[in-house]
Amino acid sequence: MWTQQKSFAPHDTGTLYLVPTPIGNLADMTFRAVETLRSVDLIAAEDTRNTQKLLNHFEIATKQISFHEHNTQARIPELLAKLQAGASIAQVSDAGMPSISDPGKELVAAAVTAGIPVVPLPGANAATTALIASGLAPQPFMFYGFLPRKASEQRAALEALADQEQTILFYESPYRLAKTLTAMAEAFGPERQAVLARELTKKFEEFDRGSLAELATWAAENARGEFVVMVAPAAPQAPVRSTVPLADQVAARVATGEKPTAAIKAVAKANGLKKQDVYNAYHGLEEEDRDL
Ligand code: SAM
């Protein structure tokens, strides 16, 4: 069903604001984030005691309600009722962007379904902050977040990611970092380059760059603080040339009903050749395709 949200048009309900909070440096709180937390009727916080420290620092007197992974389902109807009655609510997590490896997505989905405007504020986020200083290709990139903890599930997840030709971003706790890097070295190869961004925005911020094998060894002794793990893209796979003549490969596809242009394109891609070369072979415009 097609729907449209005009975030700042007048509406009968309240608004759900998604407010990022600092990931270690209070100065990263934006003016708009402070203003929003001051002006809403209620703040739904992952940990109200943690958020109270932030509110005290910025002299914000707004009331809080707890909203975390263990009370999400129970809280959603209560928060939706308040929003429908016209109250505005800001959702915050302990650090960074709500919903990014943090509580929030179910509330957002419920608000969207109920036709309540959901307004995101830009702000601190560990993954993208790490990425822009990593020196790795910033796009395309994939944000994975936390890997499964169970070894067999983690291995399967990593194997499924091994051929991704994009930078992959993970979150990991310092207690599991060395083990996870070792598992990555097994799945991606020990020489795959990676970057660890440690304690971003804090006094001991650092970037550790090297192969997965080197970083796993380093992490076994030095994993303290918070980390973003960034893995360089897989090298593109060299296409394997088939021994079947190109014209026959195209003909086989055409025989299954594929259009010749599509078949030529597919065969060119599969063999790492230009379309024109396959076209010529298929239409007999060259003596033989053996030199291709
Ligand atoms: N919502 C947050 C965000 O937008 O980045 C992420 C919350 S997630 C529960 C916490 C994980 O984010 C940590 O285990 C770590 O991997 C990463 N992280 C958070 N703050 C960080 C920091 N200052 N430096 C490096 N990594 C950080």
Side-chain angles (χ1 to χ4, degrees):
M1 186 185 61
W2 182 88
T3 63
Q4 185 176 55
Q5 168 186 316
K6 298 264 191 204
S7 294
F8 304 113
H11 40 265
D12 297 333
T13 67
T15 294
L16 174 63
Y17 294 95
L18 309 175
V19 180
T21 55
I23 56 169
N25 187 330
L26 282 176
D28 291 330
M29 190 72 177
T30 68
F31 290 116
R32 189 176 167 209
V34 172
E35 270 316 300
T36 304
L37 293 184
R38 268 199 193 120
S39 61
V40 291
D41 298 297
L42 188 64
I43 298 170
E46 181 179 7
D47 179 339
T48 54
R49 278 197 300 183
N50 183 57
T51 300
Q52 193 58 50
K53 291 181 202 148
L54 183 79
L55 300 187
N56 292 345
H57 181 86
F58 289 102
E59 299 179 350
I60 298 168
T62 311
K63 265 189 12 197
Q64 295 192 70
I65 187 169
S66 71
F67 180 75
H68 47 70
E69 59 174 326
H70 304 296
N71 71 0
T72 292
Q73 293 310 329
R75 277 283 194 252
I76 285 176
E78 193 181 337
L79 295 175
L80 279 189
K82 289 181 193 296
L83 288 160
Q84 271 154 341
S88 284
I89 299 179
Q91 192 232 328
V92 300
S93 65
D94 277 352
M97 295 229 166
S99 282
I100 301 298
S101 296
D102 263 343
K105 63 179 187 298
E106 295 90 349
L107 177 62
V108 171
V112 168
T113 304
I116 290 158
V118 179
V119 173
L121 271 63
N125 164 250
T128 49
T129 304
L131 178 64
I132 56 172
S134 66
L136 299 174
Q139 56 270 320
F141 81 89
M142 171 197 274
F143 172 68
Y144 192 92
F146 289 98
L147 283 158
R149 288 191 193 180
K150 209 172 151 196
S152 57
E153 289 171 18
Q154 185 180 94
R155 201 177 318 115
L158 288 172
E159 275 164 15
L161 295 170
D163 295 334
Q164 287 288 328
E165 291 173 21
Q166 51 187 333
T167 303
I168 315 176
L169 276 51
F170 301 91
Y171 286 160
E172 189 51 291
S173 103
Y175 310 107
R176 290 186 292 273
L177 184 67
K179 219 169 152 198
T180 300
L181 289 168
T182 304
M184 286 178 175
E186 277 165 26
F188 301 162
E191 295 308 318
R192 180 85 70 95
Q193 296 298 295
V195 180
L196 305 178
R198 174 173 175 250
E199 294 284 271
L200 288 163
T201 76
K202 303 183 207 175
K203 187 173 174 192
F204 296 110
E205 175 179 296
E206 70 181 39
F207 289 84
D208 300 284
R209 301 180 170 93
S211 69
L212 283 169
E214 288 168 333
L215 292 172
T217 306
W218 177 87
E221 297 291 325
N222 300 286
R224 279 177 295 278
E226 296 193 279
F227 287 90
V228 178
V229 180
M230 294 166 282
V231 179
Q237 302 289 313
V240 182
R241 237 347 257 285
S242 166
T243 52
V244 177
L246 294 172
D248 294 351
Q249 291 182 52
V250 177
R253 285 176 161 270
V254 171
T256 66
E258 202 168 313
K259 289 206 171 109
T261 44
I264 287 168
K265 194 173 166 192
V267 170
K269 191 169 177 213
N271 291 272
L273 295 169
K274 291 193 197 119
K275 274 188 294 185
Q276 188 63 48
D277 296 334
V278 180
Y279 179 93
N280 290 348
Y282 181 58
H283 291 286
L285 299 177
E286 288 180 1
E287 271 178 35
E288 257 299 315
D289 65 31
R290 62 173 176 263
D291 295 334
L292 296 173

